[in-house]
Amino acid sequence: MSEAFDPWNVADADDLFTASVAPKSAPVAPVKTRIPSFNIKPQYAGQDRAPPIVVLPKMDVKLRMHEEVTSKAVPGMGEDGTVELFVEGKVMAQAESSINRIPPFSLQITSPPSSECDIMYQNLCKVQTERKIQGSKQRSIKCKVDLPQSKDESEVLRYSMTAETKNMPLLVQSKATLRGNICRVGIQIRSNLSNQGDINDLSISIPIPNTMQKSTVKITRGADTGSWDDCKRMVTWKIGTLAHGQSVLVSVEAEISHTMAQLLADDDLSSTKFNEKIQCPVLVRCSSSSDALTDFAISASPWMEDPTNLSSQQDQSYRLLHRVPTRK
């Protein structure tokens, strides 16, 4: 019979650890690994290193387009009817750069599709390409612009056109009514909701015809902004600024002349003939520093043969003289 295991027996303990621990292995000599050398050639042929990064000069271009417009409402077309436009416009430009010269830039022009447009270029604006869109009067023109190194604006080009539109910045309604021997003319003007900004320098003028007695002229609405010029036989309201989407109403009245009153007593005189004798056209003047009246479009981009990091800013403005026949 085997003897019982005694954990306190030293001899037994040595035998236990000797049997359970693996023998030590012989030390292994370090292996020297040889790393192969590679013949790395430059990425760019003929160069020992990559070319330096080219930083394009910064260039800021400011374009300003201004239009002088005379317009006339076509009779019988209603409030939203056709309006004839006679436009004289010009494009001004100014540029700054981060280098000691002003690089050229490309000016892209798109003429209105609904009208013939005559463009007169200044010496600093050279046409490079011109393309007419098939089936339309619209043209796409690319020009090279070389501006002088100056803080002042330079005129790039001028343009003129005759066009028709139904999208006027002002909606004008006028009406003349007769009560007894008093003729009253009322005008309402509303700023178009499609405008980008407010209407400025707004004034309304009505010439008083000889069929009305000038000594009896009375401003019935808008007396705080209206005035009567006896020599010119003209009533003028200086409204100033008309906010976006807002409207204004003015009116004036006067007695009809003795000759006209005598004609009214004639039963053969029709109302149509009487209305033809009461002619009070409405003249509206205004301006805007944030809108344009035509589809003449311009844009600036870098000239590829002399590239720059170009940023552009564009302003539009117009001054308008609008004539509206009085409705009866």
Side-chain angles (χ1 to χ4, degrees):
M1 185 175 180
S2 61
E3 295 180 0
F5 171 71
D6 185 2
W8 299 102
N9 187 299
V10 176
D12 293 339
D14 289 339
D15 293 339
L16 176 65
F17 283 97
T18 301
S20 61
V21 177
K24 296 182 179 180
S25 59
V28 179
V31 178
K32 296 183 179 180
T33 304
R34 181 176 181 273
I35 301 176
S37 61
F38 297 93
N39 186 15
I40 303 176
K41 296 183 179 180
Q43 184 177 358
Y44 300 91
Q47 298 181 3
D48 294 334
R49 58 183 178 179
I53 299 176
V54 178
V55 179
L56 297 178
K58 293 183 179 181
M59 185 174 180
D60 297 326
V61 176
K62 296 181 180 179
L63 300 175
R64 183 171 67 88
M65 186 173 67
H66 178 74
E67 295 177 336
E68 295 282 340
V69 184
T70 302
S71 62
K72 179 181 179 181
V74 178
M77 298 299 292
E79 178 184 352
D80 298 325
T82 303
V83 174
E84 296 177 341
L85 300 177
F86 307 91
V87 183
E88 295 285 344
K90 65 179 179 179
V91 175
M92 309 290 290
Q94 181 185 7
E96 296 180 353
S97 72
S98 60
I99 56 179
N100 58 357
R101 65 182 181 89
I102 302 297
F105 67 91
S106 176
L107 181 67
Q108 185 71 32
I109 304 170
T110 305
S111 64
S114 60
S115 62
E116 291 285 355
C117 181
D118 296 326
I119 304 177
M120 295 148 285
Y121 304 95
Q122 300 299 329
N123 294 330
L124 51 81
C125 183
K126 304 296 183 182
V127 177
Q128 303 298 308
T129 60
E130 182 172 349
R131 180 176 60 89
K132 187 174 183 179
I133 300 177
Q134 187 176 3
S136 173
K137 297 179 181 180
Q138 190 173 15
R139 291 179 293 167
S140 178
I141 307 168
K142 180 180 179 181
C143 301
K144 178 184 178 183
V145 180
D146 283 290
L147 293 179
Q149 193 164 1
S150 173
K151 295 183 179 180
D152 299 327
E153 289 182 324
S154 298
E155 184 176 313
V156 177
L157 59 88
R158 288 178 178 263
Y159 59 94
S160 61
M161 71 181 77
T162 301
E164 293 184 351
T165 183
K166 292 185 178 180
N167 187 27
M168 289 292 288
L170 294 172
L171 304 178
V172 183
Q173 289 180 300
S174 62
K175 187 175 182 181
T177 57
L178 183 66
R179 292 185 179 181
N181 64 339
I182 301 295
C183 180
R184 172 174 290 186
V185 181
I187 305 100
Q188 183 177 19
I189 295 180
R190 184 171 75 251
S191 173
N192 199 326
L193 290 175
S194 64
N195 296 341
Q196 297 295 325
D198 299 339
I199 299 294
N200 301 318
D201 306 317
L202 174 63
S203 68
I204 308 168
S205 299
I206 300 178
I208 302 299
N210 293 328
T211 51
M212 301 169 67
Q213 300 182 45
K214 67 176 185 177
S215 60
T216 63
V217 171
K218 179 182 178 182
I219 299 174
T220 53
R221 297 200 69 162
D224 55 335
T225 58
S227 61
W228 161 246
D229 190 325
D230 185 80
C231 296
K232 296 181 179 180
R233 297 182 64 95
M234 184 82 69
V235 180
T236 302
W237 291 268
K238 294 184 178 181
I239 308 300
T241 300
L242 185 62
H244 179 262
Q246 297 298 312
S247 62
V248 61
L249 176 63
V250 296
S251 62
V252 62
E253 66 181 25
E255 295 181 11
I256 59 176
S257 65
H258 297 293
T259 303
M260 180 59 65
Q262 187 64 34
L263 290 174
L264 284 176
D266 188 351
D267 295 337
D268 295 333
L269 181 64
S270 64
S271 59
T272 302
K273 291 183 179 180
F274 167 74
N275 290 337
E276 291 176 353
K277 295 182 179 294
I278 301 294
Q279 295 292 334
C280 297
V282 180
L283 302 176
V284 180
R285 292 178 173 86
C286 66
S287 65
S288 174
S289 58
S290 55
D291 287 281
L293 290 180
T294 66
D295 295 330
F296 191 90
I298 56 175
S299 61
S301 60
W303 183 251
M304 298 309 296
E305 297 180 5
D306 194 355
T308 58
N309 184 7
L310 186 145
S311 62
S312 63
Q313 175 185 341
Q314 183 175 334
D315 296 326
Q316 299 178 352
S317 62
Y318 68 80
R319 190 165 59 178
L320 172 67
L321 172 59
H322 184 48
R323 186 177 185 272
V324 182
T326 307
R327 294 186 195 172
K328 286 87 177 181

